[in-house]
Amino acid sequence: MAIDKKAIEEHIRGILIALGDNPDREGLKDTPARVARMYEEVFEGMNYSNREIATLFDKTFEEDLDTETHFEDMVIVKDIEVFSYCEHHMALMYNMKVSVAYIPNGKVIGLSKIARIADMVAKRLQLQERIGSDIAEIISMVTNSSDVAVFIEANHSCMTARGIKNTSARTYTTTLRGRFESDPSLLARISVNH
């Protein structure tokens, strides 16, 4: 699905009129086009399904990996910084940090690919909970590991800038798959060692 920048421009122009402003005044005349370009960038992930994202970042390494005798080895990438937009208010989710852990199953993914997957998943109209499950699903597809954990913390401007206006509230979500769901010692290893 391609993002329709022309339609976005038309709708932003309509929103400006609905707000009681003049979209033809100097400060606003290029705003619809600027917003359309911004949306194309910040919602890039909407162009891809989870399977397509997995294909985009399916670069793994198999050599020198002994997962048969070292089945408790774990890969952890912490504090990947991303941002997203809440699908309920189209409000910014910011100061978002994503941490991903998985237990290799014969191959490992390039570390930068984990950050790229998190970034692409966040570039959609999202819920924080779904960001975690989408990342877990894609990491699982790429690595063939069913043992994946995703931890996310973020501020939500739908809570900090409107409504309750609680600027210190942070939301934490945890997505656990495979052995991370059933073996608490794996979670303890993540928090103790890192």
Side-chain angles (χ1 to χ4, degrees):
M1 166 193 114
I3 292 174
D4 186 344
K5 289 196 310 187
K6 197 66 177 158
I8 292 170
E9 286 183 42
E10 291 169 13
H11 290 290
I12 294 299
R13 182 175 173 78
I15 288 170
L16 293 172
I17 293 168
L19 290 171
D21 214 324
N22 175 7
D24 295 318
R25 74 173 170 84
E26 185 61 32
L28 293 178
K29 66 181 178 184
D30 294 327
T31 296
R34 282 193 297 266
V35 171
R37 286 191 305 273
M38 179 188 80
Y39 278 11
E40 183 179 46
E41 178 183 338
V42 301
F43 294 123
E44 179 186 7
M46 295 183 76
N47 292 315
Y48 305 99
S49 68
N50 284 354
R51 180 150 307 283
E52 290 168 327
I53 293 172
T55 301
L56 281 172
F57 302 114
D58 188 12
K59 176 65 177 163
T60 58
F61 305 93
E62 297 178 23
E63 65 260 3
D64 299 327
L65 190 61
D66 182 8
T67 55
E68 296 201 10
T69 57
H70 299 284
F71 56 88
E72 291 300 318
D73 287 356
M74 186 185 306
V75 176
I76 305 166
V77 178
K78 291 190 73 168
D79 297 332
I80 301 165
E81 293 184 2
V82 299
F83 65 88
S84 191
Y85 288 86
C86 169
E87 67 184 35
H88 294 154
H89 295 96
M90 293 184 70
L92 186 64
M93 292 185 273
Y94 61 99
N95 292 335
M96 183 178 284
K97 291 187 179 186
V98 176
S99 297
V100 178
Y102 74 95
I103 298 172
N105 182 24
K107 58 184 180 176
V108 294
I109 185 173
L111 298 177
S112 70
K113 301 301 185 269
I114 295 172
R116 291 180 189 280
I117 288 167
D119 182 62
M120 190 65 79
V121 164
K123 288 182 174 177
R124 298 171 171 168
L125 288 173
Q126 275 287 22
L127 298 173
Q128 185 169 323
E129 300 88 339
R130 189 181 314 117
I131 292 171
S133 61
D134 285 351
I135 292 169
E137 180 181 337
I138 294 166
I139 295 294
S140 225
M141 283 186 222
V142 174
T143 64
N144 292 326
S145 174
S146 57
D147 307 312
V148 181
V150 181
F151 309 94
I152 304 173
E153 60 180 276
N155 292 95
H156 291 240
S157 61
C158 58
M159 283 183 62
T160 62
R162 59 156 303 278
I164 190 74
K165 295 181 184 159
N166 189 319
T167 58
S168 62
R170 288 187 61 75
T171 301
Y172 296 82
T173 54
T174 303
T175 305
L176 305 175
R177 301 290 184 263
R179 288 187 279 168
F180 285 102
E181 290 180 282
S182 58
D183 185 351
S185 70
L186 293 175
L187 295 178
R189 284 177 50 204
I190 293 171
S191 61
V192 168
N193 296 325
H194 308 283

